[in-house]
Amino acid sequence: MSRATVFHPVPPGRSAEGARMDPVESFGVGAARLRSRRTTSVRTSLGLALLVLSVSLLGACKREDPQAAAQARAAQAAAAEQAAMQVEQQFAAAVAKQDWSLARGYGEVLLMDHPGTKAAARVEAQLADVRAKVAEADSQARLRALWSYQTEPVKGGNQLSASIFAKAPVDTGGGARQVRLIFRDHPDWGRSSYLTLEAGDFDCYGGCKVQVAVDDAAPRAMAASRPDTDEAIAMFIEDERALWRLAKDAQVLRIEFPVKAGGKRVAEFETGGLDPARLPAWN
């Protein structure tokens, strides 16, 4: 080797070409790698163990005590039954007072909020009848509202009257207009029953017969007359007591009458809500 050649020391374990590692260094690298692998293995094992433990605990949580669960369900059912019985008592109190609308409300709330309870079953057995009574009461209230009653001071006392409009307008000449039935009790003129029109006129100036029917019964003829006056378009039905009895006992009263426009017309009155006590002398 000449002096011009520069010598570069080769690191221990390596040749000039870097072919081999020193045995000591090689052992250190291998040990480090082994320790890394063991750490990874331990971590994996710990993770698996924790997963198995979690699954086991979850399964234990899900496996509840059957006796405790049954007791909880029984307590819940008893509480629901107690709450339902309180509403049932309110329902019964409303029924006792014959406040059918209130009773229906309590009954429907009970069935909605506490289904499946014994109290709900008891109330449900009565609810159809209560609903029917509500419908009947509503119908009667509507019929009563169709009647108007007046008390008017006149010479010699008070004039009392009860009146009702026909169920539907009637074309008596000049378009469909209201027809009204009136029962009147006057201190001087006595008792009268008559129809009034808002347009057209009755064809009954010399007297006539009208046909009166109630509900599904056959019509009967009754005498009538149109007074010669311009004060009102009125036609009196002469047998006022018979007409009153028919109106008092019927649900529907129909009167067929002649008109100047030609032919006959029928006015139908829903008289089922009449309060006879409002005209006591007629009874």
Side-chain angles (χ1 to χ4, degrees), residues 21-91:
M21 181 180 295
D22 182 82
V24 175
E25 182 183 0
S26 175
F27 174 78
V29 172
R33 290 177 179 174
L34 181 58
R35 285 196 299 271
S36 176
R37 290 175 182 175
R38 285 180 178 176
T39 301
T40 302
S41 177
V42 169
R43 289 177 179 172
T44 303
S45 299
L46 286 173
L48 289 173
L50 289 173
L51 178 61
V52 171
L53 180 60
S54 299
V55 172
S56 300
L57 291 174
L58 181 60
C61 291
K62 289 186 175 178
R63 289 193 298 272
E64 61 183 1
D65 184 356
Q67 184 176 2
Q71 290 174 348
R73 288 193 296 270
Q76 186 177 13
E81 195 66 56
Q82 183 65 29
M85 287 177 63
Q86 292 178 358
V87 183
E88 182 186 22
Q89 291 171 357
Q90 294 172 313
F91 170 84

Side-chain angles (χ1 to χ4, degrees), residues 227-240:
D228 189 7
T229 176
D230 295 330
E231 291 182 5
I233 310 172
M235 181 186 68
F236 287 85
I237 298 175
E238 305 298 347
D239 195 348
E240 67 278 346

